[in-house]
Amino acid sequence: LRQISQRTISTASRRQFENRVPEKQKLFQEDNGIPVHLKGGVMDALLYKVTMGLAVFGTVYVVYELLVASMPKKQK
């Protein structure tokens, strides 16, 4: 039983991954005028635009709801 458990643990860790930290550090520390939150590429830009769109939409919606709530309802 002990050999079986050790074998399953040791075989799972055999796959080696390449260390990409130095190349990511070089990319993010490069002084190219791009903000750090956009240096990751297209997905970072897309995520930024979606987040900003949702924030603007949410702000407009909250202001609208506050205006609706502040107006007295017409009585019939």
Side-chain angles (χ1 to χ4, degrees), residues 29-45:
Q29 291 176 355
E30 183 179 343
D31 187 20
N32 55 6
I34 299 174
V36 72
H37 61 274
L38 296 176
K39 284 190 178 187
V42 176
M43 285 304 292
D44 280 353

Side-chain angles (χ1 to χ4, degrees), residues 9 48 59:
I9 292 171
Y48 175 74
T59 303

Side-chain angles (χ1 to χ4, degrees), residues 2-72:
R2 185 173 181 186
Q3 286 179 338
I4 292 172
S5 66
Q6 286 180 342
R7 187 176 350 161
T8 56
I9 292 171
S10 65
T11 57
S13 65
R14 282 189 184 172
R15 191 179 334 169
Q16 295 292 324
F17 292 104
E18 182 183 347
N19 184 9
R20 289 192 242 157
V21 172
E23 67 187 47
K24 290 288 185 184
Q25 285 177 337
K26 185 178 179 183
L27 172 72
F28 283 94
Q29 291 176 355
E30 183 179 343
D31 187 20
N32 55 6
I34 299 174
V36 72
H37 61 274
L38 296 176
K39 284 190 178 187
V42 176
M43 285 304 292
D44 280 353
L46 181 66
L47 182 61
Y48 175 74
K49 289 177 183 177
V50 167
T51 303
M52 290 307 293
L54 285 172
V56 168
F57 173 76
T59 303
V60 170
Y61 183 70
V62 165
V63 169
Y64 169 76
E65 287 296 327
L66 284 171
L67 287 173
V68 168
S70 68
M71 299 292 172

